[in-house]
Amino acid sequence: MHRYRLGVDIGGTFTDLVLYDKKTRSFHTHKTLTTPDNLAEGVMQSISKYVRGFNEIEYFVHGTTSGLNALLERKGAKVALVTTEGFRDVYEIGRANRVDMYNIQYKKPAPLVDREHIYEMAERVSHDGEILQPIDDEEVKKLVNRLKKNHYEAVAVCFLHSYRNPIHEQAVKDLIEKELNIPVSLSSDIAREWREYERTSTTIMNAYIAPIVRKYLNKLETMLAESGYTNDIYIMQSNGGVMTSKVAKQLPLQTLMSGPVGGTIGGANLSALINEKNLICVDMGGTSFDVSMTIDGEPDITAETMMEGFPLLSPMVNIHTIGAGGGSIAYTEGGGLRVGPESAGSYPGPACYGNGGKKPTVTDANLILGRIDPDHFLGGGMKLDKKAAYKAIQSVADEIGLSVEETAEGICNIANAKMADAIRTLTVRKGIDPRDFTMVAFGGAGPMHAVMIAESLGIQKIFVPNTSGTFSAWGMLQTDIRFDSVRNDHSLLLSVDKDRMHSHEEMKEECMDMMRQQHISSHKIRLQKSMDVRYVGQEYTINIVNHSDDPHDLERLFHQAHFEIYGHHNPDNPTEIVNLRMTAIGDLEKLEFHQKEEKDSKTVMPQHTRETFWSGEAKRTGIYSTADLMNGNNLTGPAIIEDQNTTMVIPPKYAVLIDENKNIQVEKIFSKEEVYS
């Protein structure tokens, strides 16, 4: 009997599990320390906590950090780039603009492929796909010998105008794969659109992480098969969908933000549940802090982004990440207190973990402030060493001349300020007012800091989901299979032939083939057409969904979108199409997570109290457990609400209400003077 549906998300410190048991109709969540030397081991440990027979698992979706870790730590593959003769330096030259214009210390990131590993080939395709110079098979054979001699682990191929005609790239791939057992990434498969530098960068990034992702997924598949699992493994994609592990090995680039995206999709589902369309989703774990948004109930997805200073042409949920988590290390520099981005990780972890860590972290600071119970961390599954935390914080406190408690509060305040700035990057810097949004806080440490972050941004309502500690894994169970296809198609919008608007057959076939590979029947597939449009003379575009094939309607939608994004538009200017896009969605079974308890509108009393610190002052604070809270219950801060996988910190002047699904709603209490001011 297929009994279990489960999602597993690997973080820098913890590996999270959400499991639904169809037999008992119950959910289980669990956090276990991530095993950095063998990530698959932590996955197996978390599943084995509840599952005895792996053959009983019906559906398994997984968010992996193997590719992202390889990129962040610069431990990717040794890659060779093959490009058109005369274009060897495109990747190194890049763009003339400075990404961080006013930073006089800015340095371009070192390229993932050095010039000595870039090979030219005498071939040429015109801008409209005509073959001007055929490829020479003998030259390709010589190239293969050079690749073999230099022991490359992956190859990226990016020929000029291959987005219009990929025949030369495919020929090179076929000959390389005949002789070498290494992954070959083609720009015509990875980013089939123009702009040579961005397309080259995207293809190289795919190749750079391909062997690492392939090795990890092969190991995970083997371990699961040996334990009796017989179904497909689904991998969370950066674009908000899932794909089978077989497809993930072909498109490892789509696994880069695999973990954090689960939380955004969870936020989109929560949006309908709580009737809040615009959400700022904040995910704070042990290592990083991730910010994303849902707008009008849909995840904010971008077709182009930057990753570690490199441009990527690939649909991704728009996520901003900084090194601020529970494990972020505090230190002094220039006489001042600093926090992060370096993290203590899962091992040795914060000093309070008792694994030999000596450096003070945000988690140690929260423990000193009384916000964490050392005897009931992770529902009592892990005991914390308060003396070790005190000693670690004191090492920094002595340097800056403050008490241990003052230093601990300073560490948390600095971390909160950094996280608030991360939210401003996605909102204020783009003309979006965060006060118009509701904050959704999750991750092991997110609910602990969310209210203070919201306070500094003027956000008045905060939601903490009932599975907040493992919310990204929960979100993965709400996804569908997704595949995105793109074709460059440059023309004036109003003069485009209507037949051309329907000429998506090539993309449609590509999408349908990808769905068939992942065992999705045709009646469960939804196709969505869109196009990238701009004013003539502009460089960048806006994606417009084809709700209509009437060019005049599409142009009107473009003008409207331009005004909403930039605050101005020019309806008299001509517009042009740059790319045609198609997204295929393959519907998967999803679970209803409604609990809908009977309402009990009463103020609840704390289980007990303990001394905590608020703005330098020690106060007896009520301690509550989520296990005791019911629909309609309410309380006011200061308060600490403890859950098996996280802790919620409610400062003074905030009220808490439990909704019918046991989500925790937090709102600021205004005095009469504040209301009328």
Side-chain angles (χ1 to χ4, degrees):
M1 172 188 169
H2 283 156
R3 174 178 175 181
Y4 303 109
R5 295 178 67 84
L6 56 96
V8 177
D9 172 37
I10 297 180
T13 305
F14 288 100
T15 295
D16 299 340
L17 166 78
V18 172
L19 176 144
Y20 177 68
D21 186 338
K22 296 175 70 174
K23 183 177 180 180
T24 62
R25 296 185 178 181
S26 59
F27 292 97
H28 301 279
T29 62
H30 181 65
K31 295 179 85 74
T32 187
L33 287 172
T34 294
T35 50
D37 293 335
N38 181 359
L39 295 174
E41 184 180 329
V43 174
M44 298 299 291
Q45 286 176 6
S46 64
I47 298 174
S48 299
K49 177 76 175 178
Y50 293 104
V51 177
R52 295 293 174 263
F54 277 58
N55 61 323
E56 294 183 299
I57 300 174
E58 177 182 72
Y59 177 71
F60 171 41
V61 60
H62 176 38
T64 172
T65 57
S66 55
L68 181 62
N69 289 347
L71 174 63
L72 296 178
E73 298 170 13
R74 287 301 185 96
K75 294 180 180 178
K78 181 181 179 182
V79 177
L81 170 63
V82 182
T83 190
T84 302
E85 187 176 46
F87 292 84
R88 184 182 183 188
D89 296 311
V90 164
Y91 180 58
E92 189 165 352
I93 292 172
R95 296 289 174 188
N97 62 303
R98 292 169 62 90
V99 176
D100 196 353
M101 186 179 298
Y102 300 107
N103 182 0
I104 61 173
Q105 296 179 323
Y106 170 76
K107 290 183 180 179
K108 285 180 64 176
L112 299 178
V113 176
D114 292 330
R115 192 174 188 272
E116 63 183 295
H117 303 304
I118 301 176
Y119 300 87
E120 295 180 316
M121 294 210 66
E123 65 81 39
R124 195 62 179 261
V125 173
S126 72
H127 71 283
D128 58 1
E130 180 187 353
I131 296 176
L132 301 178
Q133 182 175 353
I135 202 160
D136 184 346
D137 286 353
E138 289 302 315
E139 187 180 3
V140 179
K141 290 177 182 177
K142 291 178 182 178
L143 169 69
V144 171
N145 290 331
R146 295 175 71 184
L147 297 176
K148 188 184 298 185
K149 181 180 178 181
N150 286 287
H151 306 290
Y152 290 106
E153 298 170 295
V155 178
V157 185
C158 189
F159 289 149
L160 194 67
H161 303 310
S162 58
Y163 55 85
R164 296 307 299 265
N165 186 347
I167 189 169
H168 286 175
E169 286 192 352
Q170 192 60 56
V172 170
K173 179 179 181 178
D174 292 343
L175 288 170
I176 292 175
E177 288 185 337
K178 272 186 181 179
E179 300 294 328
L180 303 175
N181 184 28
I182 58 175
V184 181
S185 299
L186 304 184
S187 73
S188 51
D189 290 338
I190 307 302
R192 196 161 177 172
E193 50 189 296
W194 67 11
R195 306 226 305 270
E196 291 308 302
Y197 168 57
E198 287 78 4
R199 189 159 57 91
T200 302
S201 171
T202 306
T203 309
I204 288 173
M205 185 87 72
N206 191 82
Y208 187 71
I209 64 173
I212 288 85
V213 172
R214 178 185 287 189
K215 181 180 178 181
Y216 168 72
L217 292 178
N218 284 339
K219 182 180 293 185
L220 182 62
E221 288 172 347
T222 300
M223 294 175 74
L224 284 166
E226 289 174 350
S227 298
Y229 182 66
T230 56
N231 293 333
D232 286 324
I233 301 171
Y234 289 89
I235 304 299
M236 191 72 209
Q237 296 190 72
S238 301
N239 63 14
V242 295
M243 56 187 167
T244 62
S245 57
K246 179 182 177 181
V247 174
K249 294 173 194 175
Q250 303 169 29
L251 301 171
L253 186 76
Q254 271 297 336
T255 71
L256 277 175
M257 301 305 290
S258 179
V261 166
T264 312
I265 301 304
N269 281 270
L270 185 66
S271 175
L273 208 60
I274 64 177
N275 198 28
E276 296 280 351
K277 290 189 175 182
N278 297 324
L279 304 177
I280 293 174
C281 302
V282 297
D283 180 1
M284 182 181 180
T287 304
S288 64
F289 178 77
D290 305 308
V291 186
S292 58
M293 296 191 298
T294 67
I295 300 174
D296 290 330
E298 296 294 329
D300 178 26
I301 296 178
T302 179
E304 181 177 354
T305 189
M306 297 287 290
M307 185 72 68
E308 289 298 291
F310 300 105
L312 292 182
L313 295 177
S314 180
M316 289 189 176
V317 172
N318 199 6
I319 294 179
H320 183 58
T321 301
I322 63 169
S328 293
I329 294 170
Y331 59 99
T332 59
E333 184 179 76
L337 185 61
R338 306 283 187 270
V339 179
E342 185 183 354
S343 172
S346 59
Y347 192 88
C352 62
Y353 281 13
N355 292 328
K358 304 294 183 185
K359 297 178 179 179
T361 67
V362 174
T363 297
D364 294 312
N366 278 309
L367 180 59
I368 294 301
L369 295 172
R371 298 171 183 175
I372 300 175
D373 186 341
D375 297 322
H376 292 89
F377 190 64
L378 296 182
M382 185 175 179
K383 304 294 183 182
L384 301 182
D385 187 344
K386 191 169 183 178
K387 289 183 178 178
Y390 193 94
K391 187 176 180 181
I393 299 288
Q394 190 171 38
S395 67
V396 175
D398 291 344
E399 292 184 43
I400 58 178
L402 296 175
S403 70
V404 170
E405 291 77 14
E406 288 172 330
T407 303
E409 197 154 26
I411 290 170
C412 289
N413 289 342
I414 291 169
N416 291 339
K418 291 180 67 174
M419 291 184 280
D421 278 343
I423 294 172
R424 291 187 184 98
T425 299
L426 275 191
T427 56
V428 177
R429 292 187 186 180
K430 297 182 178 181
I432 298 171
D433 190 340
R435 294 173 297 183
D436 296 334
F437 286 71
T438 294
M439 179 182 287
V440 176
F442 49 93
M448 196 176 301
H449 292 260
V451 182
M452 282 79 82
I453 297 169
E455 172 80 26
S456 66
L457 294 166
I459 297 172
Q460 295 175 18
K461 186 183 289 187
I462 304 99
F463 266 91
V464 178
N466 64 0
T467 55
S468 59
T470 54
F471 191 66
S472 287
W474 181 86
M476 292 174 192
L477 289 170
Q478 311 306 307
T479 53
D480 292 309
I481 287 183
R482 174 170 171 152
F483 178 74
D484 294 285
S485 182
V486 60
R487 294 292 184 274
N488 177 252
D489 198 325
H490 189 210
S491 61
L492 289 173
L493 177 54
L494 292 184
S495 63
V496 68
D497 191 324
K498 280 195 174 184
D499 291 336
R500 191 172 172 189
M501 300 289 286
H502 292 283
S503 64
H504 288 70
E505 287 306 311
E506 186 180 343
M507 284 192 292
K508 181 179 178 180
E509 184 53 42
E510 183 183 16
C511 288
M512 298 298 286
D513 179 61
M514 192 61 71
M515 291 292 116
R516 284 191 291 267
Q517 287 183 42
Q518 300 177 89
H519 318 301
I520 300 296
S521 54
S522 57
H523 71 279
K524 291 186 176 181
I525 299 173
R526 290 174 284 129
L527 299 175
Q528 183 185 73
K529 296 184 292 182
S530 67
M531 58 179 62
D532 296 339
V533 184
R534 67 185 183 186
Y535 288 118
V536 173
Q538 282 189 328
E539 171 63 16
Y540 293 97
T541 61
I542 296 174
N543 184 256
I544 304 297
V545 176
N546 291 37
H547 294 300
S548 163
D549 283 341
D550 185 337
H552 293 278
D553 285 344
L554 293 168
E555 187 175 62
R556 179 182 54 78
L557 289 172
F558 168 75
H559 292 313
Q560 179 181 330
H562 197 282
F563 184 82
E564 290 174 355
I565 294 171
Y566 300 109
H568 66 90
H569 65 323
N570 191 345
D572 295 328
N573 264 24
T575 56
E576 60 185 359
I577 300 171
V578 175
N579 296 308
L580 298 177
R581 297 183 184 273
M582 183 173 286
T583 297
I585 305 293
D587 292 331
L588 296 175
E589 178 187 344
K590 288 178 280 295
L591 300 168
E592 291 291 332
F593 283 76
H594 295 249
Q595 303 208 15
K596 293 191 174 178
E597 295 181 338
E598 290 185 12
K599 197 165 186 178
D600 182 11
S601 301
K602 69 177 183 181
T603 301
V604 290
M605 301 304 294
Q607 287 183 334
H608 57 90
T609 64
R610 68 169 175 260
E611 191 175 81
T612 59
F613 288 85
W614 305 93
S615 302
E617 182 181 349
K619 293 183 180 180
R620 298 304 300 182
T621 300
I623 310 300
Y624 303 81
S625 170
T626 55
D628 299 328
L629 298 178
M630 300 176 62
N631 176 22
N633 286 174
N634 58 85
L635 58 100
T636 57
I640 305 290
I641 303 175
E642 295 178 338
D643 183 73
Q644 179 182 347
N645 297 311
T646 189
T647 299
M648 283 145 267
V649 175
I650 313 298
K653 297 185 179 181
Y654 278 86
V656 172
L657 176 66
I658 311 302
D659 74 8
E660 62 182 1
N661 295 296
K662 295 197 75 172
N663 300 309
I664 298 174
Q665 176 182 318
V666 186
E667 288 195 74
K668 188 169 183 178
I669 303 171
F670 290 97
S671 66
K672 289 182 180 180
E673 292 77 11
E674 289 173 314
V675 170
Y676 292 112
S677 63

